[in-house]
Amino acid sequence: NPVRGVKMPPDSPKRTRRLNQYEKTLLLSQAKFESSREVYLAILIATETGMRQSEILRLIEDVFDFENRMILVKETKNGEDRTIPISEHLASELGSFFNGTNSGFMLTRSGLQQAFRRLTRKLNIENLRFHDLRHEALSHFFELGLSVPEVQLISGHKTVDQLMRYSHARVSEIRDKLDHANEQRHA
């Protein structure tokens, strides 16, 4: 067997970069007022839904259910469509963007990446990639108390192992939960 001695390369190192609240607020506010509407929306969608960049850029008007605040994500990485709930704020922002004049995003993948890099450089937010926004959103879902199956439904991960690569709990959040649980127990 000619490949018997060949070993598979190890997985790439797991990124654990998360936004702090200041960075998130700064990034969204500056994107809203200094970037194109599409760049702002892409960042907002990523931070609120955990959608992949490619899924965001393929969004078209007919995948939104504004009344029920849901997005139908088609052509996903795993090949299965999924439905993602969205906040009232995101529904409002998307509704004003897809108000008949826009049928979808005109941004390209490289255009979004370049705009995102320029924005983070300008704001002195170091070591942040657009894909880290997906990590942030999925980790935040767990912090909100969503279960593994609920987050898996939103993220589209087929296995829990895949999903856990995206979960990066903040130790301070865990500490606060433990403090709260201890207060309840001793009350």
Side-chain angles (χ1 to χ4, degrees):
N1 182 354
V3 293
R4 183 178 48 214
V6 177
K7 292 184 180 181
M8 292 291 291
D11 285 339
S12 58
K14 184 165 83 167
R15 282 187 61 85
T16 58
R17 176 66 161 94
R18 291 202 51 198
L19 289 168
N20 61 44
Q21 191 56 49
Y22 173 75
E23 289 173 327
K24 183 176 180 180
T25 302
L26 185 64
L27 185 65
L28 285 167
S29 65
Q30 291 297 308
K32 185 170 189 172
F33 298 109
E34 294 186 22
S35 297
S36 74
R37 181 93 170 125
E38 290 186 22
V39 170
Y40 164 69
L41 280 175
I43 293 170
L44 182 63
I45 293 166
T47 58
E48 288 205 9
T49 68
M51 288 174 61
R52 294 175 182 92
Q53 177 179 287
S54 60
E55 295 168 341
I56 293 168
L57 294 178
R58 280 196 305 268
L59 288 175
I60 56 173
E61 187 172 14
D62 70 350
V63 300
F64 299 103
D65 178 350
F66 290 112
E67 186 176 324
N68 294 306
R69 296 191 345 252
M70 303 218 182
I71 299 174
L72 174 62
V73 182
K74 300 177 179 181
E75 299 176 38
T76 65
K77 185 176 176 181
N78 72 15
E80 294 181 12
D81 295 351
R82 70 182 190 279
T83 302
I84 299 176
I86 58 174
S87 68
E88 287 182 31
H89 174 69
L90 182 54
S92 173
E93 293 284 343
L94 289 169
S96 69
F97 180 74
F98 288 99
N99 63 0
T101 57
N102 294 306
S103 59
F105 283 87
M106 299 302 290
L107 265 177
T108 63
R109 181 176 184 267
S110 63
L112 177 56
Q113 287 177 347
Q114 287 174 6
F116 188 77
R117 271 194 301 271
R118 271 194 310 271
L119 184 60
T120 56
R121 242 183 276 127
K122 179 180 180 179
L123 299 173
N124 293 317
I125 298 176
E126 296 180 12
N127 191 30
L128 185 68
R129 301 176 188 163
F130 191 86
H131 192 72
D132 294 334
L133 303 179
R134 178 168 165 80
H135 290 252
E136 176 60 33
L138 300 181
S139 295
H140 184 67
F141 292 152
F142 284 116
E143 291 170 352
L144 291 173
L146 271 65
S147 68
V148 169
E150 289 168 332
V151 176
Q152 198 172 3
L153 183 71
I154 294 170
S155 72
H157 288 102
K158 290 246 184 195
T159 68
V160 174
D161 284 348
Q162 291 170 333
L163 175 61
M164 289 301 110
R165 281 186 62 94
Y166 284 81
S167 176
H168 313 295
R170 287 191 175 101
V171 174
S172 60
E173 296 282 338
I174 296 168
R175 180 204 58 221
D176 293 346
K177 284 182 180 180
L178 289 171
D179 287 348
H180 180 71
N182 285 329
E183 288 171 9
Q184 296 297 319
R185 189 171 53 178
H186 297 297

